[in-house]
């Protein structure tokens, strides 16, 4: 463990630490951020009201639009002279939101990621190839500093230029790969095309994150690469990657609770749900100085796992993200998450893990087209086999989604590959 004292802390000690830091944070934003002062005043809350963790529930939520309304720096709680780094979200759902880090924030961020890298089994002997895009996006820098902190040798590849990634991986003997799961999948194809085999590379750990992926996808990645693949979660507004990550038991992501207080709410009513129930993740940052956020609604759907993990860590775990509430498609009144489609597709032979959903409208009726790529061209000359495959996919999707979808079987390697977060949904409505 990277930080045994924190990672195995007893619940009551953790709660005491969280309560003290929560008070400090509320005070900090009340004193320094006009937006928060007004929000808290309007809700009749002042820092002195924060005496226990339950008092958190008196604080109003913060949402992405609050960041957008105060774009770019309006929610910063530190003067610009103390800000040493600026990042922004990827902009998956609209105008990117901007965040600022003090020197202390950068240290805390590295600590978060160091723990997660160590949880996955990385150490100072590792050579880590970072294939996240370096730039305003937080992914690359977060993993970079965290892995450097544990003493790994960093290869700052950035994303793209996949042939070169493959060459470097083989020549330098990279042992850790940092990327999105979809990019790791694409890279494995390129390696294969270049005739590089599992035995030609030294990779042993995949630290994957920044987008959702299913257990089926993890299995494929582990098998294709011969690695242990762990997943980590984060978002730029909260710090970047490092909010939570899996240990090698791969049964939920341990949350760095000394820095982040998680809650799960009912997205519709805002009601706080008990641990174990599924809903929207809400996070309060309790150490960040540059831009602390109170009860930030992540729009990511998950649940908290309270029981003790086999690894001995007491840090609460959160389950794999089921989807962004933004991602949820409503098709003919039925809620559909792309992850459900992924689970179905990855279990069917002869098709590759690359897919896309196209949602349209025909008159007043929503339509769903699922584009699925054939793994190789061997089925292409047998019409009956193709027809059978299409039927199987259609049937299995219907069972899981309760919806009829039109299946489009695409030729091998024709669905667009992503270097970062994959774009799975095209909504034409
Ligand atoms: P954007 O919100 O524009 O994509 P970020 O780069 O900050 O900007 O990405 C944060 C989002 O990425 C999270 O809210 C979440 O939806 C997604 N994400 C990050 N890690 C994971 C993960 N392990 N599983 C699923 N989704 C993830
Ligand atoms: Zn664990």
């Amino acid at each position: 463990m990277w930080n045994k004292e924190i990672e195995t802390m007893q619940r009551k000690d953790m709660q005491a630490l969280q309560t003290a830091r929560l008070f400090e944070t509320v005070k900090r934003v009340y004193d320094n951020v006009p937006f928060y002062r007004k929000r808290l005043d309007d809700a009749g809350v002042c820092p002195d009201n924060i005496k226990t963790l339950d008092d958190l529930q008196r604080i109003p939520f913060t949402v992405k639009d609050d960041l957008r309304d105060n774009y770019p720096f309006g929610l910063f709680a530190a003067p610009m002279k103390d800000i040493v780094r600026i990042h922004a979200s990827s902009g998956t759902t609209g105008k990117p939101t901007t965040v600022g880090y003090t020197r202390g924030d950068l240290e805390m961020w590295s600590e978060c990621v160091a723990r997660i890298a160590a949880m996955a089994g990385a150490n100072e002997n590792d050579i880590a190839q970072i294939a996240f895009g370096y730039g305003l996006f937080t992914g690359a820098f977060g993993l970079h500093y965290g892995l450097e902190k544990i003493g790994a040798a960093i290869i700052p590849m950035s994303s793209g230029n996949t042939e070169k990634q493959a060459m470097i991986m083989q020549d330098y003997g990279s042992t850790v790969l940092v990327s999105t799961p979809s990019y790791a999948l694409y890279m494995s194809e390129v390696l294969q095309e270049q005739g590089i085999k599992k035995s030609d590379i030294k990779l042993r750990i995949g630290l994957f994150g920044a987008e959702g992926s299913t257990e089926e996808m993890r299995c494929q990645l582990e098998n294709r690469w011969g690695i242990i693949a762990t997943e980590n979660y984060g978002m730029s507004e909260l710090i970047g990657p490092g909010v939570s990550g899996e240990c090698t038991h791969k049964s939920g992501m341990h949350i760095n609770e000394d820095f982040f207080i998680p809650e799960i709410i009912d997205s519709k009513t805002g009601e706080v749900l008990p641990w174990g129930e599924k809903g929207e993740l809400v996070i309060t940052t309790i150490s960040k100085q540059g831009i602390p956020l109170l009860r930030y609604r992540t729009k990511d759907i998950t649940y908290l796992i309270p029981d003790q993990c086999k690894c001995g860590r007491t840090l609460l775990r959160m389950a794999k993200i089921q989807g962004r509430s933004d991602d949820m498609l409503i098709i003919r009144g039925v809620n559909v998450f792309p992850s459900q489609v992924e689970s179905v597709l990855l279990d069917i032979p002869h098709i590759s893990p690359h897919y896309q959903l196209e949602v349209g409208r025909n008159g007043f009726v929503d339509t769903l087209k699922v584009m699925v790529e054939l793994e190789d061209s061997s089925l292409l000359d047998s019409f009956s086999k193709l027809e059978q495959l299409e039927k199987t996919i259609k049937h299995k999707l219907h069972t899981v989604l309760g919806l009829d979808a039109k299946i489009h079987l695409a030729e091998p390697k024709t669905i667009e590959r992503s270097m970062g977060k994959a774009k799975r949904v095209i909504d034409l409505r």
Side-chain angles (χ1 to χ4, degrees):
M1 281 184 216
W2 179 254
N3 189 333
K4 195 159 185 201
E5 186 191 335
I6 295 287
E7 292 176 69
T8 60
M9 194 174 253
Q10 291 307 307
R11 181 79 4 221
K12 69 170 185 358
D13 297 332
M14 180 58 80
Q15 283 172 341
L17 180 65
Q18 288 180 325
T19 309
R21 288 185 173 176
L22 175 63
F23 169 78
E24 288 302 324
T25 300
V26 175
K27 189 162 161 30
R28 180 175 185 86
V29 296
Y30 191 83
D31 291 345
N32 294 292
V33 186
F35 162 85
Y36 270 121
R37 176 177 285 251
K38 178 162 188 321
R39 256 297 151 86
L40 292 165
D41 280 343
D42 289 349
V45 184
C46 70
D48 287 334
N49 296 142
I50 306 299
K51 297 202 172 69
T52 71
L53 281 185
D54 287 339
D55 294 325
L56 182 58
Q57 295 192 22
R58 306 174 57 169
I59 299 173
F61 296 117
T62 306
V63 295
K64 205 169 190 112
D65 276 343
D66 294 327
L67 280 141
R68 289 189 174 133
D69 293 346
N70 291 281
Y71 177 84
F73 304 146
L75 293 190
F76 285 14
M80 210 33 100
K81 74 173 176 46
D82 294 338
I83 299 288
V84 296
R85 178 86 67 76
I86 291 169
H87 278 289
S89 69
S90 314
T92 310
T93 59
K95 191 167 177 135
T97 48
T98 314
V99 287
Y101 300 71
T102 63
R103 218 170 275 289
D105 290 340
L106 290 182
E107 269 164 35
M108 169 217 148
W109 189 15
S110 308
E111 166 71 18
C112 287
V113 177
R115 287 184 202 164
I116 276 151
M119 272 182 216
N123 60 44
E124 74 268 22
N125 297 314
D126 277 304
I127 300 178
Q129 181 162 342
I130 310 231
F132 273 148
Y134 280 78
L136 277 178
F137 170 60
T138 49
F141 283 96
L143 268 300
H144 181 117
Y145 286 99
L147 279 156
E148 195 169 82
K149 192 176 171 89
I150 67 169
I154 309 297
I155 310 174
M157 282 300 295
S158 204
S159 63
N161 206 344
T162 313
E163 283 77 17
K164 189 166 174 192
Q165 300 260 9
M167 180 189 85
I168 296 274
M169 178 172 287
Q170 189 176 18
D171 294 351
Y172 295 6
S174 311
T175 54
V176 175
L177 173 64
V178 173
S179 72
T180 57
S182 56
Y183 190 44
L185 197 64
Y186 175 45
M187 277 174 79
S188 71
E189 264 176 15
V190 172
L191 255 76
Q192 206 176 11
E193 276 164 17
Q194 298 192 334
I196 302 174
K197 294 188 292 297
K198 263 197 253 184
S199 53
D200 298 330
I201 56 167
K202 299 216 172 77
L203 207 66
R204 62 184 200 95
I205 296 175
L207 285 172
F208 299 135
E211 68 180 7
S213 65
T214 54
E215 265 325 310
E216 290 82 358
M217 178 73 95
R218 186 212 305 270
C219 269
Q220 288 237 0
L221 288 168
E222 290 191 327
N223 293 335
R224 279 171 183 240
W225 288 99
I227 56 170
I228 288 192
T230 68
E231 183 184 4
N232 57 79
Y233 169 85
M235 69 196 301
S236 57
E237 294 94 311
L238 300 176
I239 193 76
V243 173
S244 63
E246 286 176 326
C247 65
T248 50
H249 293 279
K250 296 184 272 195
S251 52
M253 296 177 274
H254 288 285
I255 302 170
N256 281 313
E257 284 183 274
D258 51 332
F259 301 133
F260 305 101
I261 303 181
E263 297 172 279
I264 299 291
I265 62 163
D266 178 323
S267 294
K268 291 208 182 76
T269 62
E271 181 203 350
V272 176
L273 302 175
W275 289 359
E277 276 186 39
K278 196 184 322 178
E280 179 180 343
L281 177 69
V282 169
I283 296 270
T284 300
T285 69
I286 48 174
S287 280
K288 227 161 49 134
Q289 307 280 302
I291 172 167
L293 292 177
L294 301 182
R295 303 193 85 200
Y296 188 65
R297 291 186 63 156
T298 64
K299 297 204 169 175
D300 292 320
I301 310 293
T302 182
Y303 58 91
L304 300 174
I305 306 170
D307 32 300
Q308 168 113 33
C309 183
K310 291 196 200 90
C311 70
R313 290 181 180 81
T314 51
L315 296 175
L316 200 58
R317 284 167 291 156
M318 56 185 257
K320 202 176 238 319
I321 302 289
Q322 193 195 322
R324 291 182 163 206
S325 51
D326 287 344
D327 270 354
M328 194 182 76
L329 296 163
I330 303 185
I331 303 173
R332 280 172 252 148
V334 179
N335 297 349
V336 175
F337 280 102
S339 57
Q340 291 174 295
V341 176
E342 181 174 308
S343 287
V344 171
L345 295 180
L346 267 66
D347 261 352
I348 302 176
H350 304 301
I351 57 180
S352 84
H354 301 280
Y355 66 94
Q356 240 171 8
L357 314 185
E358 194 183 284
V359 190
R361 184 163 282 157
N362 190 356
F364 292 104
V365 183
D366 298 324
T367 55
L368 171 64
K369 183 157 119 194
V370 181
M371 284 166 294
V372 187
E373 194 183 276
L374 291 167
E375 197 158 50
D376 54 50
S377 39
S378 63
L379 290 188
L380 281 176
D381 23 305
S382 164
F383 182 72
S384 63
K385 279 188 189 151
L386 283 179
E387 205 180 31
Q388 187 52 43
L389 179 60
E390 197 181 304
K391 263 197 192 139
T392 310
I393 299 173
K394 206 177 162 78
H395 174 73
K396 292 203 169 165
L397 279 176
H398 188 92
T399 314
V400 171
L401 306 178
L403 266 183
D404 257 334
K406 190 165 181 299
I407 310 299
H408 173 78
L409 291 176
E411 290 192 27
K413 316 227 160 111
T414 51
I415 291 184
E416 196 190 335
R417 303 296 190 254
S418 90
M419 309 287 162
K421 297 183 190 237
K423 184 162 172 46
R424 305 286 195 201
V425 179
I426 306 168
D427 199 336
L428 303 170
R429 292 174 296 184

